[in-house]
């Protein structure tokens, strides 16, 4: 009986002892699982870190691009009436400078070789002597359609090569001293009165052929008009009288003004028929009212 119990005891005990390793293997399996899970977690972490670093790089790149964009916006050059070089603000071509309709309020600095300046239809109010102090090559200047009220006397007088000057459609009340070689002066549509033109303003201009003073406020015809004059426009002023010496020479009945081709005086409060002797030296009568 005791032998049978011992046998049963051994029979039961041995399986229990042999059953232990599977438990150990199971625990090892769990440990392996933890290790593998840990390695996976570490890989994910490294991948996430790389993604974060990449994202950070992208953010920094985006930020730098935004900063560059902001800088580029700040560096946008200003538009009109600025300190831009003249040949960027205007058009410079073979000695000609075109500054038309760009709303400038002053004469821009000009290249020293400038011969022709076109600055029409701007907002220029004043012309200073310093504007052309270093530009001795100018032959033609056009300031038509500005707001010029004042011109310093020395602004044009030293331009020894200047032949054509247009100051039409401005707000001038007097004429400046003019350069000696001038052939054409256009000062139509200003506010010039007779006292705004000096008595000898035109006397020494021996090349002056075209003089346009229409649509102003002149009370009389300018004195001492040069013999070179061909076209004289005085229409629509306030001229009320003329003398025998205005166009002719009262002390010389044989004198003829041979070069004068046209005189316009319409629109003035004067009856030209009352001043017949004033036109005796002309080849044709002035345009105007005769009755």
């Amino acid at each position: 009986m005791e032998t049978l119990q011992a046998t049963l005891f051994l029979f039961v005990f041995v399986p229990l002892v042999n059953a232990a390793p599977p438990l150990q293997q199971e625990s090892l399996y769990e440990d392996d699982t933890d290790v593998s899970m840990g390695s996976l977690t570490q890989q994910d972490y490294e991948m996430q870190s790389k993604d974060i670093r990449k994202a950070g790089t992208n953010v920094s790149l985006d930020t730098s691009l935004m900063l560059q964009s902001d800088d580029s916006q700040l560096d946008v050059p200003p538009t009109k009436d600025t300190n831009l070089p003249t040949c960027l603000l205007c058009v410079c071509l073979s000695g000609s400078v075109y500054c038309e309709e760009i709303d400038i309020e002053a004469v821009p600095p000009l290249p020293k070789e400038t011969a022709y300046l076109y600055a029409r239809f701007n907002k220029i109010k004043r012309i200073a002597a310093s504007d052309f102090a270093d530009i001795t090559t100018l032959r033609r200047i056009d300031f038509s359609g500005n707001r010029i009220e004042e011109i310093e006397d020395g602004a044009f007088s030293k331009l020894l090569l200047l032949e054509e000057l247009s100051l039409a459609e401005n707000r001038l009340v007097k004429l400046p001293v003019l350069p000696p070689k001038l052939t054409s002066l256009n000062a139509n549509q200003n506010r010039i009165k007779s006292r705004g033109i000096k008595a000898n303003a035109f006397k020494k201009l021996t090349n002056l052929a075209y003089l346009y003073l229409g649509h102003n406020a002149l009370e009389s015809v300018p004195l001492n008009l040069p013999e070179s004059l061909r076209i004289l426009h005085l229409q629509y002023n306030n001229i009320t009288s003329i003398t025998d010496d205005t166009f002719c020479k009262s002390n010389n009945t044989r004198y003829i003004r041979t070069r004068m081709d046209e005189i316009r005086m319409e629109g003035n409060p004067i009856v030209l028929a009352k001043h017949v002797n004033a036109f005796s030296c002309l080849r044709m009568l002035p345009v105007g009212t005769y009755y």
Side-chain angles (χ1 to χ4, degrees), residues 114-120 127 132 137-144 155-157 159-168 176-187 205 207-212:
T114 303
Y116 305 96
L117 171 61
Y118 302 92
R120 298 181 296 184
I127 299 176
F132 307 111
T137 54
L138 279 164
R139 295 180 178 274
R140 180 185 300 163
I141 297 175
D142 193 343
F143 283 122
S144 302
F156 303 125
S157 59
L159 301 179
L160 301 181
L161 299 180
L162 190 65
E163 297 177 349
E164 299 179 31
L165 175 61
S166 180
L167 302 170
V177 176
L178 300 169
K181 291 187 177 181
L182 201 65
T183 62
S184 176
L185 173 64
N186 187 349
L205 302 184
N207 294 323
L208 186 64
Y210 306 95
L211 179 58
Y212 304 99

Side-chain angles (χ1 to χ4, degrees), residues 76-264:
V76 172
T79 54
K80 296 181 179 179
D81 196 20
T82 65
N83 292 325
L84 284 173
T86 300
C87 290
L88 290 180
L89 187 65
C90 308
V91 176
C92 300
L93 182 64
S94 300
S96 298
V97 178
Y98 299 87
C99 299
E100 300 181 325
E101 298 184 89
I102 56 174
D103 293 341
I104 53 176
E105 297 181 0
V107 179
L110 299 174
K112 289 187 177 182
E113 69 278 6
T114 303
Y116 305 96
L117 171 61
Y118 302 92
R120 298 181 296 184
F121 309 112
N122 286 293
K123 298 179 180 179
I124 299 173
K125 296 180 180 179
R126 183 176 182 273
I127 299 176
S130 58
D131 290 336
F132 307 111
D134 299 325
I135 314 298
T136 60
T137 54
L138 279 164
R139 295 180 178 274
R140 180 185 300 163
I141 297 175
D142 193 343
F143 283 122
S144 302
N146 278 275
R147 303 175 183 178
I148 301 171
E149 298 177 354
E150 180 185 0
I151 301 176
E152 291 186 5
D153 279 344
F156 303 125
S157 59
K158 296 180 181 179
L159 301 179
L160 301 181
L161 299 180
L162 190 65
E163 297 177 349
E164 299 179 31
L165 175 61
S166 180
L167 302 170
E169 300 178 51
N170 280 283
R171 302 174 183 178
L172 293 171
V173 295
K174 65 177 183 177
L175 288 180
V177 176
L178 300 169
K181 291 187 177 181
L182 201 65
T183 62
S184 176
L185 173 64
N186 187 349
N188 282 336
Q189 297 185 16
N190 277 276
R191 303 171 184 176
I192 302 171
K193 295 185 177 182
S194 292
R195 66 173 178 266
I197 301 178
K198 296 180 180 180
N200 295 324
F202 306 112
K203 185 175 183 178
K204 295 182 179 180
L205 302 184
T206 57
N207 294 323
L208 186 64
Y210 306 95
L211 179 58
Y212 304 99
L213 294 171
H215 298 271
N216 277 283
L218 299 175
E219 297 90 0
S220 61
V221 178
L223 300 174
N224 299 312
L225 296 173
E227 295 290 332
S228 56
L229 207 58
R230 295 181 55 190
I231 305 294
L232 175 63
H233 285 189
L234 298 169
Q235 70 275 18
Y236 296 98
N237 278 278
N238 294 321
I239 298 173
T240 56
S241 65
I242 52 178
T243 68
D244 293 350
D245 291 317
T246 299
F247 302 111
C248 305
K249 296 179 180 180
S250 59
N251 59 354
N252 186 356
T253 57
R254 295 184 178 182
Y255 170 75
I256 298 177
R257 189 178 280 269
T258 58
R259 296 185 182 180
M260 185 70 77
D261 293 329
E262 179 181 278
I263 299 176
R264 290 184 57 181

Side-chain angles (χ1 to χ4, degrees), residues 15-83:
L16 289 175
V17 174
N18 292 334
L23 291 177
Q24 291 180 358
Q25 290 176 0
E26 185 176 358
S27 64
L28 289 174
Y29 178 78
E30 290 176 357
D31 291 341
D32 291 340
T33 304
D34 292 340
V35 171
S36 63
M37 290 294 292
S39 62
L40 288 174
T41 304
Q42 184 176 0
Q43 291 176 359
D44 291 341
Y45 175 77
E46 290 176 356
M47 291 177 66
Q48 290 176 359
S49 299
K50 290 179 180 179
D51 291 340
I52 291 172
R53 286 196 296 271
K54 290 180 179 178
T57 304
N58 292 335
V59 169
S60 63
L61 287 173
D62 292 340
T63 305
S64 63
L65 288 173
M66 290 176 65
L67 291 174
Q68 290 177 2
S69 177
D70 292 341
D71 290 342
S72 64
Q73 290 178 0
L74 293 175
D75 292 336
V76 172
T79 54
K80 296 181 179 179
D81 196 20
T82 65
N83 292 325

